[in-house]
Coordinates of all heavy atoms in Angstrom, one line a residue:
M1 N 2.4 46.8 59.3 CA 3.7 47.1 58.8 C 3.8 48.6 58.5 O 4.8 49.2 58.7 CB 4.0 46.3 57.6 CG 4.2 44.8 57.9 SD 4.5 43.7 56.4 CE 6.0 44.3 55.8
Q2 N 2.7 49.1 57.9 CA 2.7 50.5 57.5 C 2.9 51.4 58.8 O 3.6 52.4 58.7 CB 1.4 50.8 56.9 CG 1.3 52.2 56.2 CD 0.0 52.4 55.5 OE1 -1.0 51.7 55.8 NE2 0.0 53.3 54.6
R3 N 2.3 51.0 59.9 CA 2.4 51.8 61.1 C 3.9 51.9 61.6 O 4.2 52.8 62.3 CB 1.5 51.2 62.2 CG 0.1 51.6 62.1 CD -0.6 51.1 63.3 NE -2.0 51.6 63.2 CZ -2.9 51.3 64.1 NH1 -2.6 50.5 65.1 NH2 -4.2 51.7 63.9
F4 N 4.6 50.9 61.2 CA 6.0 50.8 61.6 C 7.0 51.4 60.6 O 8.2 51.3 60.7 CB 6.4 49.4 62.0 CG 5.7 48.9 63.2 CD1 4.7 47.9 63.1 CD2 6.0 49.4 64.5 CE1 4.0 47.5 64.2 CE2 5.3 48.9 65.6 CZ 4.3 48.0 65.4
G5 N 6.4 52.1 59.6 CA 7.2 52.8 58.6 C 7.6 52.0 57.3 O 8.3 52.5 56.5
A6 N 7.0 50.9 57.1 CA 7.3 50.1 55.9 C 6.6 50.8 54.7 O 5.5 51.3 54.8 CB 6.7 48.7 56.0
T7 N 7.3 50.9 53.6 CA 6.7 51.5 52.4 C 5.8 50.5 51.7 O 5.8 49.3 52.0 CB 7.8 51.8 51.4 OG1 8.4 50.6 50.9 CG2 8.9 52.7 52.0
P8 N 4.9 51.0 50.9 CA 4.0 50.1 50.1 C 4.7 49.0 49.4 O 4.2 47.8 49.3 CB 3.2 51.0 49.2 CG 3.2 52.3 49.9 CD 4.5 52.4 50.6
D9 N 5.8 49.3 48.8 CA 6.6 48.3 48.1 C 7.1 47.3 49.0 O 7.1 46.1 48.7 CB 7.8 49.0 47.3 CG 8.6 48.1 46.5 OD1 7.9 47.3 45.7 OD2 9.8 48.0 46.6
Q10 N 7.6 47.7 50.2 CA 8.1 46.7 51.1 C 7.0 45.8 51.6 O 7.2 44.6 51.8 CB 8.8 47.4 52.3 CG 10.1 48.1 52.0 CD 10.5 49.0 53.1 OE1 9.7 49.6 53.8 NE2 11.8 49.0 53.4
I11 N 5.8 46.3 51.8 CA 4.7 45.5 52.3 C 4.3 44.5 51.2 O 4.1 43.4 51.5 CB 3.5 46.5 52.6 CG1 3.9 47.3 53.9 CG2 2.2 45.6 52.9 CD1 2.9 48.4 54.2
S12 N 4.2 45.0 49.9 CA 3.9 44.1 48.8 C 4.8 43.0 48.7 O 4.4 41.8 48.5 CB 3.8 44.9 47.5 OG 2.8 45.8 47.5
R13 N 6.1 43.2 48.8 CA 7.1 42.2 48.7 C 7.0 41.2 49.9 O 7.1 40.0 49.7 CB 8.5 42.8 48.7 CG 8.9 43.3 47.3 CD 10.4 43.7 47.3 NE 10.8 44.4 48.5 CZ 11.5 45.5 48.6 NH1 11.9 46.0 47.5 NH2 11.7 46.1 49.7
A14 N 6.8 41.7 51.1 CA 6.7 40.8 52.3 C 5.4 39.9 52.1 O 5.5 38.7 52.4 CB 6.6 41.7 53.5
V15 N 4.3 40.5 51.7 CA 3.1 39.7 51.5 C 3.3 38.7 50.4 O 2.9 37.5 50.6 CB 1.9 40.6 51.2 CG1 0.7 39.8 50.8 CG2 1.6 41.5 52.4
A16 N 4.0 39.0 49.3 CA 4.2 38.1 48.2 C 5.1 36.9 48.7 O 4.9 35.8 48.2 CB 4.8 38.8 47.1
N17 N 6.0 37.1 49.6 CA 6.9 36.1 50.1 C 6.3 35.2 51.1 O 6.9 34.2 51.5 CB 8.2 36.7 50.6 CG 9.0 37.4 49.5 OD1 8.9 37.0 48.4 ND2 9.8 38.4 49.9
T18 N 5.1 35.4 51.6 CA 4.5 34.6 52.6 C 3.7 33.4 52.1 O 3.4 32.5 52.8 CB 3.5 35.4 53.5 OG1 2.4 35.9 52.7 CG2 4.3 36.6 54.2
G19 N 3.3 33.5 50.8 CA 2.5 32.4 50.3 C 1.1 32.5 50.8 O 0.3 31.5 50.9
G20 N 0.7 33.6 51.4 CA -0.7 33.8 51.9 C -0.7 33.5 53.4 O -1.7 33.8 54.1
D21 N 0.4 33.0 54.0 CA 0.4 32.8 55.5 C 0.7 34.1 56.2 O 1.3 35.0 55.6 CB 1.5 31.8 55.8 CG 1.1 30.4 55.3 OD1 -0.1 30.1 55.1 OD2 2.1 29.6 55.1
C22 N 0.4 34.1 57.4 CA 0.6 35.3 58.2 C 1.5 34.9 59.4 O 1.1 34.0 60.2 CB -0.7 35.9 58.7 SG -0.5 37.4 59.8
L23 N 2.6 35.5 59.6 CA 3.5 35.2 60.8 C 2.9 35.8 62.0 O 2.6 37.0 62.0 CB 4.9 35.7 60.5 CG 5.9 35.6 61.7 CD1 6.2 34.1 61.9 CD2 7.1 36.3 61.4
V24 N 2.8 35.0 63.1 CA 2.3 35.5 64.4 C 3.4 35.2 65.4 O 3.8 34.1 65.5 CB 1.0 34.9 64.8 CG1 0.6 35.4 66.2 CG2 -0.1 35.1 63.8
L25 N 3.9 36.3 66.0 CA 5.0 36.1 67.0 C 4.4 35.4 68.2 O 3.3 35.6 68.6 CB 5.6 37.4 67.4 CG 6.2 38.2 66.2 CD1 6.7 39.6 66.7 CD2 7.4 37.5 65.7
P26 N 5.2 34.5 68.8 CA 4.7 33.7 70.0 C 4.0 34.6 71.0 O 3.0 34.2 71.6 CB 5.9 33.0 70.5 CG 6.8 32.9 69.3 CD 6.6 34.2 68.5
E27 N 4.6 35.8 71.3 CA 4.0 36.6 72.4 C 2.7 37.2 72.0 O 2.0 37.7 72.9 CB 5.0 37.7 72.8 CG 5.3 38.7 71.7 CD 6.6 38.3 70.9 OE1 7.0 37.2 70.9 OE2 7.1 39.3 70.2
N28 N 2.3 37.1 70.7 CA 1.0 37.7 70.3 C -0.1 36.6 70.2 O -1.2 36.9 70.0 CB 1.2 38.4 68.9 CG 2.0 39.6 69.1 OD1 2.0 40.2 70.2 ND2 2.8 40.0 68.1
W29 N 0.3 35.3 70.3 CA -0.7 34.3 70.2 C -1.9 34.4 71.1 O -3.1 34.2 70.7 CB -0.1 32.9 70.3 CG 0.4 32.4 68.9 CD1 1.6 32.2 68.5 CD2 -0.5 32.0 67.8 NE1 1.7 31.7 67.2 CE2 0.4 31.6 66.8 CE3 -1.8 31.9 67.6 CZ2 -0.1 31.1 65.6 CZ3 -2.3 31.5 66.4 CH2 -1.4 31.1 65.4
P30 N -1.7 34.6 72.4 CA -2.8 34.8 73.3 C -3.8 35.8 72.9 O -5.0 35.6 73.0 CB -2.2 35.1 74.7 CG -0.8 34.5 74.6 CD -0.4 34.7 73.2
A31 N -3.3 37.0 72.5 CA -4.2 38.0 72.0 C -5.0 37.6 70.8 O -6.2 37.9 70.7 CB -3.4 39.3 71.8
L32 N -4.3 37.0 69.8 CA -4.9 36.6 68.6 C -6.0 35.5 68.9 O -7.1 35.6 68.4 CB -3.9 36.1 67.6 CG -4.5 35.6 66.3 CD1 -5.3 36.7 65.6 CD2 -3.4 35.0 65.4
L33 N -5.7 34.6 69.7 CA -6.7 33.6 70.1 C -7.9 34.2 70.8 O -9.0 33.8 70.5 CB -6.0 32.5 70.9 CG -5.0 31.6 70.2 CD1 -4.3 30.7 71.2 CD2 -5.6 30.9 69.0
W34 N -7.6 35.1 71.7 CA -8.8 35.8 72.3 C -9.6 36.6 71.3 O -10.8 36.5 71.3 CB -8.2 36.7 73.4 CG -9.3 37.3 74.3 CD1 -10.6 36.9 74.4 CD2 -9.1 38.4 75.2 NE1 -11.2 37.7 75.3 CE2 -10.3 38.6 75.8 CE3 -8.0 39.2 75.5 CZ2 -10.5 39.6 76.8 CZ3 -8.2 40.2 76.5 CH2 -9.5 40.4 77.1
F35 N -8.9 37.3 70.4 CA -9.6 38.0 69.4 C -10.5 37.1 68.5 O -11.7 37.4 68.3 CB -8.7 38.8 68.5 CG -9.4 39.5 67.4 CD1 -10.0 40.7 67.6 CD2 -9.4 39.0 66.1 CE1 -10.7 41.4 66.6 CE2 -10.0 39.7 65.1 CZ -10.7 40.9 65.3
L36 N -10.0 36.0 68.2 CA -10.8 35.0 67.4 C -12.0 34.5 68.1 O -13.0 34.2 67.5 CB -9.9 33.9 66.9 CG -8.8 34.3 65.9 CD1 -7.9 33.1 65.6 CD2 -9.4 34.8 64.6
E37 N -11.9 34.4 69.4 CA -13.0 34.0 70.2 C -14.1 35.0 70.4 O -15.2 34.7 70.6 CB -12.5 33.5 71.6 CG -11.7 32.2 71.6 CD -11.2 31.8 72.9 OE1 -11.8 32.2 74.0 OE2 -10.2 31.1 73.0
V38 N -13.7 36.3 70.4 CA -14.7 37.4 70.6 C -15.0 38.2 69.3 O -15.7 39.2 69.4 CB -14.2 38.3 71.7 CG1 -14.1 37.6 73.0 CG2 -12.9 39.0 71.4
A39 N -14.5 37.7 68.2 CA -14.7 38.5 66.9 C -16.1 38.6 66.6 O -16.5 39.6 65.9 CB -13.9 37.8 65.8
D40 N -17.0 37.7 67.1 CA -18.4 37.8 66.8 C -19.1 38.9 67.6 O -20.3 39.2 67.5 CB -19.1 36.5 67.0 CG -19.0 36.0 68.5 OD1 -18.0 36.2 69.1 OD2 -20.0 35.4 69.0
L41 N -18.3 39.6 68.5 CA -18.8 40.6 69.3 C -18.6 42.0 68.7 O -18.7 43.0 69.4 CB -18.2 40.6 70.7 CG -18.5 39.2 71.5 CD1 -17.8 39.3 72.8 CD2 -20.0 39.0 71.6
M42 N -18.2 42.0 67.4 CA -18.0 43.3 66.7 C -19.4 44.0 66.6 O -20.4 43.4 66.4 CB -17.5 43.1 65.3 CG -16.0 42.8 65.3 SD -15.0 44.3 65.6 CE -13.4 43.7 65.2
R43 N -19.4 45.3 66.8 CA -20.6 46.1 66.6 C -20.6 46.8 65.3 O -19.5 47.2 64.8 CB -20.7 47.2 67.7 CG -20.8 46.6 69.1 CD -20.8 47.6 70.2 NE -19.7 48.5 70.1 CZ -19.8 49.9 70.1 NH1 -20.9 50.5 70.2 NH2 -18.7 50.6 70.0
F44 N -21.7 47.0 64.7 CA -21.9 47.7 63.4 C -23.0 48.7 63.5 O -24.0 48.5 64.2 CB -22.2 46.7 62.3 CG -21.0 45.8 62.0 CD1 -20.8 44.6 62.7 CD2 -20.1 46.2 60.9 CE1 -19.7 43.8 62.4 CE2 -19.1 45.3 60.7 CZ -18.9 44.2 61.4
S45 N -22.8 49.9 62.9 CA -23.9 50.9 62.9 C -25.0 50.5 62.0 O -24.9 49.5 61.2 CB -23.3 52.2 62.4 OG -23.1 52.2 61.0
D46 N -26.1 51.2 62.0 CA -27.2 50.9 61.2 C -26.9 51.0 59.7 O -27.5 50.5 58.8 CB -28.4 51.9 61.5 CG -29.0 51.6 62.9 OD1 -28.8 50.5 63.4 OD2 -29.6 52.5 63.4
F47 N -25.8 51.7 59.4 CA -25.4 52.0 58.0 C -24.3 51.0 57.6 O -23.7 51.2 56.5 CB -25.0 53.4 57.8 CG -26.0 54.4 58.2 CD1 -26.0 55.1 59.4 CD2 -27.1 54.6 57.4 CE1 -27.0 56.0 59.7 CE2 -28.2 55.4 57.7 CZ -28.1 56.2 58.9
G48 N -23.9 50.0 58.5 CA -23.0 49.0 58.1 C -21.5 49.4 58.5 O -20.6 48.6 58.2
R49 N -21.3 50.5 59.1 CA -19.9 50.8 59.5 C -19.5 50.1 60.8 O -20.3 50.0 61.7 CB -19.9 52.3 59.8 CG -18.5 52.8 60.1 CD -18.5 54.3 60.1 NE -17.2 54.8 60.6 CZ -16.1 54.9 59.8 NH1 -16.1 54.5 58.6 NH2 -15.0 55.4 60.3
C50 N -18.4 49.5 60.7 CA -17.9 48.7 61.9 C -17.4 49.7 63.0 O -16.7 50.6 62.7 CB -16.7 47.8 61.5 SG -16.1 46.8 62.9
L51 N -17.9 49.4 64.2 CA -17.6 50.3 65.3 C -16.6 49.7 66.3 O -16.2 50.2 67.3 CB -18.9 50.6 66.1 CG -20.0 51.2 65.3 CD1 -21.3 51.3 66.1 CD2 -19.6 52.6 64.8
G52 N -16.1 48.4 66.0 CA -15.2 47.7 66.8 C -15.9 46.8 67.7 O -17.1 46.6 67.7
L53 N -15.1 46.2 68.6 CA -15.6 45.3 69.6 C -16.5 45.9 70.6 O -16.3 47.1 71.0 CB -14.5 44.6 70.3 CG -13.8 43.4 69.6 CD1 -12.5 43.0 70.3 CD2 -14.7 42.3 69.3
D54 N -17.5 45.2 71.0 CA -18.4 45.7 72.1 C -17.7 45.3 73.4 O -17.7 44.2 73.9 CB -19.8 44.9 72.0 CG -20.7 45.4 73.1 OD1 -20.3 45.9 74.1 OD2 -22.0 45.3 72.8
W55 N -17.1 46.3 74.0 CA -16.2 46.1 75.1 C -16.9 45.6 76.4 O -16.4 44.9 77.2 CB -15.4 47.3 75.4 CG -14.4 47.6 74.3 CD1 -14.5 48.6 73.4 CD2 -13.3 46.8 73.9 NE1 -13.5 48.4 72.4 CE2 -12.8 47.3 72.7 CE3 -12.8 45.6 74.4 CZ2 -11.7 46.8 72.1 CZ3 -11.7 45.0 73.8 CH2 -11.1 45.6 72.6
V56 N -18.2 46.0 76.5 CA -19.0 45.4 77.6 C -19.2 43.9 77.5 O -19.0 43.2 78.4 CB -20.4 46.2 77.7 CG1 -21.2 45.5 78.8 CG2 -20.1 47.6 78.1
Q57 N -19.4 43.5 76.2 CA -19.6 42.1 76.0 C -18.3 41.3 76.1 O -18.2 40.2 76.6 CB -20.2 41.9 74.6 CG -21.6 42.4 74.4 CD -22.6 41.6 75.3 OE1 -22.4 40.5 75.6 NE2 -23.5 42.4 75.9
V58 N -17.2 42.0 75.7 CA -15.8 41.4 75.8 C -15.5 41.2 77.3 O -15.0 40.1 77.7 CB -14.8 42.2 75.1 CG1 -13.4 41.7 75.5 CG2 -15.0 42.2 73.6
Q59 N -15.9 42.2 78.1 CA -15.6 42.1 79.6 C -16.5 40.9 80.2 O -16.0 40.2 81.0 CB -16.0 43.4 80.2 CG -15.6 43.4 81.7 CD -15.9 44.8 82.3 OE1 -16.7 45.6 81.8 NE2 -15.2 45.1 83.4
A60 N -17.7 40.8 79.7 CA -18.6 39.7 80.2 C -18.0 38.4 79.8 O -18.0 37.4 80.6 CB -20.0 39.9 79.6
E61 N -17.5 38.3 78.5 CA -16.9 37.0 78.1 C -15.7 36.7 78.9 O -15.5 35.5 79.3 CB -16.5 37.2 76.6 CG -15.9 35.9 76.0 CD -14.5 35.7 76.2 OE1 -13.7 36.6 76.5 OE2 -14.0 34.5 76.1
A62 N -14.9 37.6 79.2 CA -13.7 37.4 80.0 C -14.1 36.9 81.4 O -13.5 36.0 82.0 CB -12.8 38.7 80.1
A63 N -15.1 37.6 82.0 CA -15.5 37.2 83.4 C -16.1 35.8 83.4 O -15.8 34.9 84.2 CB -16.5 38.2 83.9
L64 N -17.0 35.5 82.4 CA -17.7 34.2 82.4 C -16.7 33.0 82.0 O -17.0 31.9 82.4 CB -18.8 34.2 81.3 CG -20.0 35.1 81.8 CD1 -21.0 35.3 80.6 CD2 -20.7 34.5 83.0
S65 N -15.6 33.3 81.3 CA -14.7 32.3 81.0 C -13.5 32.3 81.9 O -12.5 31.6 81.7 CB -14.2 32.5 79.5 OG -13.5 33.7 79.4
A66 N -13.6 33.1 83.0 CA -12.5 33.2 84.0 C -11.2 33.5 83.4 O -10.1 33.0 83.8 CB -12.5 32.0 84.9
R67 N -11.2 34.4 82.4 CA -10.0 34.7 81.7 C -9.2 35.8 82.5 O -9.7 36.8 82.9 CB -10.3 35.3 80.3 CG -9.2 35.6 79.4 CD -9.6 36.3 78.1 NE -10.6 35.6 77.4 CZ -10.3 34.5 76.6 NH1 -9.1 34.2 76.4 NH2 -11.3 33.9 75.9
A68 N -7.9 35.5 82.7 CA -7.0 36.5 83.4 C -6.6 37.5 82.4 O -6.1 37.1 81.3 CB -5.8 35.7 84.0
I69 N -6.9 38.7 82.6 CA -6.6 39.8 81.7 C -5.5 40.7 82.2 O -5.7 41.4 83.2 CB -7.8 40.7 81.4 CG1 -9.0 39.8 80.9 CG2 -7.5 41.7 80.3 CD1 -10.3 40.5 80.8
E70 N -4.3 40.6 81.6 CA -3.2 41.5 81.9 C -3.3 42.7 81.0 O -3.8 42.7 79.9 CB -1.9 40.8 81.7 CG -1.8 39.5 82.5 CD -0.6 38.7 82.1 OE1 0.2 39.1 81.2 OE2 -0.4 37.6 82.7
P71 N -2.9 43.9 81.5 CA -2.9 45.1 80.7 C -2.3 44.9 79.3 O -2.9 45.4 78.3 CB -2.2 46.2 81.5 CG -2.4 45.7 82.9 CD -2.4 44.2 82.8
A72 N -1.2 44.3 79.2 CA -0.5 44.1 77.9 C -1.4 43.3 76.9 O -1.5 43.5 75.7 CB 0.8 43.4 78.1
L73 N -2.0 42.2 77.5 CA -2.9 41.4 76.6 C -4.1 42.2 76.1 O -4.5 42.1 75.0 CB -3.4 40.2 77.4 CG -4.4 39.2 76.7 CD1 -3.8 38.6 75.5 CD2 -4.8 38.2 77.7
F74 N -4.7 43.0 77.0 CA -5.8 43.8 76.7 C -5.4 44.9 75.6 O -6.2 45.1 74.7 CB -6.4 44.5 77.9 CG -7.6 45.4 77.6 CD1 -8.8 44.8 77.3 CD2 -7.5 46.8 77.6 CE1 -9.9 45.6 77.0 CE2 -8.6 47.6 77.3 CZ -9.8 47.0 77.0
A75 N -4.2 45.4 75.7 CA -3.8 46.4 74.7 C -3.6 45.8 73.4 O -4.0 46.4 72.4 CB -2.4 47.0 75.2
K76 N -3.1 44.5 73.3 CA -3.0 43.8 72.1 C -4.4 43.5 71.5 O -4.6 43.6 70.2 CB -2.2 42.5 72.2 CG -0.7 42.8 72.5 CD 0.0 41.5 72.8 CE 1.5 41.8 73.1 NZ 2.3 40.6 73.3
L77 N -5.3 43.1 72.3 CA -6.7 42.9 71.8 C -7.3 44.2 71.2 O -7.9 44.1 70.2 CB -7.6 42.4 72.9 CG -9.0 42.1 72.5 CD1 -9.1 40.9 71.5 CD2 -9.9 41.7 73.7
R78 N -7.0 45.3 71.9 CA -7.5 46.6 71.4 C -6.9 46.9 70.0 O -7.6 47.3 69.1 CB -7.2 47.7 72.3 CG -8.1 47.6 73.6 CD -8.2 48.9 74.3 NE -8.8 49.9 73.3 CZ -8.5 51.2 73.4 NH1 -7.8 51.7 74.4 NH2 -9.1 52.1 72.6
R79 N -5.6 46.6 69.8 CA -5.0 46.9 68.5 C -5.5 46.0 67.5 O -5.8 46.4 66.3 CB -3.5 46.7 68.7 CG -2.8 47.9 69.3 CD -1.3 47.9 69.1 NE -0.7 46.8 69.9 CZ -0.2 46.9 71.1 NH1 -0.3 48.0 71.8 NH2 0.3 45.8 71.7
L80 N -5.8 44.7 67.8 CA -6.4 43.8 66.8 C -7.8 44.3 66.4 O -8.2 44.3 65.3 CB -6.4 42.4 67.4 CG -5.1 41.7 67.4 CD1 -5.2 40.4 68.2 CD2 -4.7 41.3 66.0
S81 N -8.6 44.7 67.4 CA -9.9 45.2 67.2 C -9.9 46.5 66.3 O -10.6 46.6 65.3 CB -10.6 45.6 68.5 OG -11.8 46.2 68.2
Q82 N -8.9 47.4 66.5 CA -8.8 48.6 65.7 C -8.4 48.2 64.3 O -8.9 48.8 63.3 CB -7.8 49.5 66.3 CG -8.3 50.1 67.6 CD -7.1 50.8 68.4 OE1 -6.0 50.7 68.1 NE2 -7.5 51.5 69.5
A83 N -7.5 47.3 64.1 CA -7.1 46.9 62.8 C -8.2 46.2 62.0 O -8.4 46.5 60.8 CB -5.9 45.9 62.9
A84 N -9.0 45.4 62.7 CA -10.1 44.7 62.1 C -11.2 45.8 61.7 O -11.7 45.7 60.6 CB -10.7 43.7 63.0
M85 N -11.5 46.7 62.6 CA -12.4 47.8 62.3 C -12.0 48.6 61.1 O -12.8 48.8 60.2 CB -12.6 48.7 63.5 CG -13.5 49.8 63.3 SD -13.7 50.9 64.8 CE -12.0 51.5 64.9
H86 N -10.7 48.9 61.0 CA -10.2 49.7 59.9 C -10.4 48.9 58.6 O -10.8 49.4 57.6 CB -8.8 50.1 60.2 CG -8.1 50.8 59.0 ND1 -8.4 52.1 58.7 CD2 -7.2 50.4 58.1 CE1 -7.7 52.5 57.7 NE2 -7.0 51.5 57.3
H87 N -10.0 47.6 58.7 CA -10.1 46.8 57.5 C -11.6 46.7 57.0 O -11.8 46.8 55.8 CB -9.5 45.4 57.8 CG -9.7 44.4 56.7 ND1 -8.9 44.4 55.6 CD2 -10.6 43.4 56.5 CE1 -9.3 43.5 54.8 NE2 -10.3 42.8 55.3
F88 N -12.5 46.4 57.9 CA -13.9 46.3 57.5 C -14.4 47.5 56.9 O -15.1 47.5 55.9 CB -14.8 45.9 58.7 CG -14.7 44.5 59.2 CD1 -14.6 44.3 60.6 CD2 -14.7 43.5 58.4 CE1 -14.6 43.0 61.1 CE2 -14.6 42.2 58.8 CZ -14.6 41.9 60.2
N89 N -14.1 48.7 57.5 CA -14.6 49.9 57.0 C -13.9 50.3 55.7 O -14.6 50.9 54.8 CB -14.4 51.0 58.0 CG -15.3 50.8 59.2 OD1 -16.4 50.3 59.1 ND2 -14.9 51.3 60.4
Q90 N -12.7 50.0 55.5 CA -12.0 50.2 54.2 C -12.6 49.4 53.1 O -12.8 49.9 52.0 CB -10.5 49.9 54.4 CG -9.6 50.7 53.5 CD -8.1 50.5 53.9 OE1 -7.7 49.5 54.4 NE2 -7.3 51.6 53.6
R91 N -12.8 48.1 53.4 CA -13.4 47.2 52.4 C -14.8 47.7 52.0 O -15.2 47.7 50.9 CB -13.5 45.8 52.9 CG -12.2 45.1 52.8 CD -12.3 43.7 53.1 NE -13.0 43.0 52.1 CZ -13.3 41.7 52.1 NH1 -13.0 41.0 53.2 NH2 -13.9 41.1 51.1
R92 N -15.6 48.2 53.0 CA -16.9 48.7 52.8 C -16.9 49.9 51.9 O -17.7 50.1 51.0 CB -17.6 49.0 54.1 CG -19.1 49.4 54.0 CD -19.7 49.6 55.4 NE -21.0 50.2 55.2 CZ -21.2 51.5 55.0 NH1 -20.2 52.3 55.0 NH2 -22.4 52.0 54.9
A93 N -16.0 50.8 52.2 CA -15.9 52.0 51.4 C -15.5 51.8 50.0 O -15.9 52.6 49.1 CB -14.9 53.0 52.1
S94 N -14.8 50.7 49.7 CA -14.3 50.4 48.3 C -15.3 49.7 47.5 O -15.1 49.5 46.3 CB -13.0 49.7 48.4 OG -13.2 48.4 48.9
Q95 N -16.4 49.3 48.1 CA -17.5 48.5 47.4 C -18.5 49.5 46.7 O -18.8 50.5 47.1 CB -18.2 47.6 48.3 CG -17.3 46.5 48.8 CD -18.0 45.6 49.8 OE1 -19.1 45.9 50.3 NE2 -17.4 44.4 50.1

């Protein structure tokens, strides 16, 4: 939401109104489901910093599962990976 210009107050109100649920638009479900399947392929540095998905392993997973990859789906997976990486690294920095 922040990337789209929402203020911290707007984000807080939106999160408070969800009851802890997260709305996923129908067009984003395939990317989210793929991300959940490959989330164990995240790479971490020796110092615990998240480096994002291991794209060679993601490509192997896609080939072995005969997954059809469209550019738009791949772009959404990349955004999910970047958001997860940012979240992991932010949480690590605050500990």
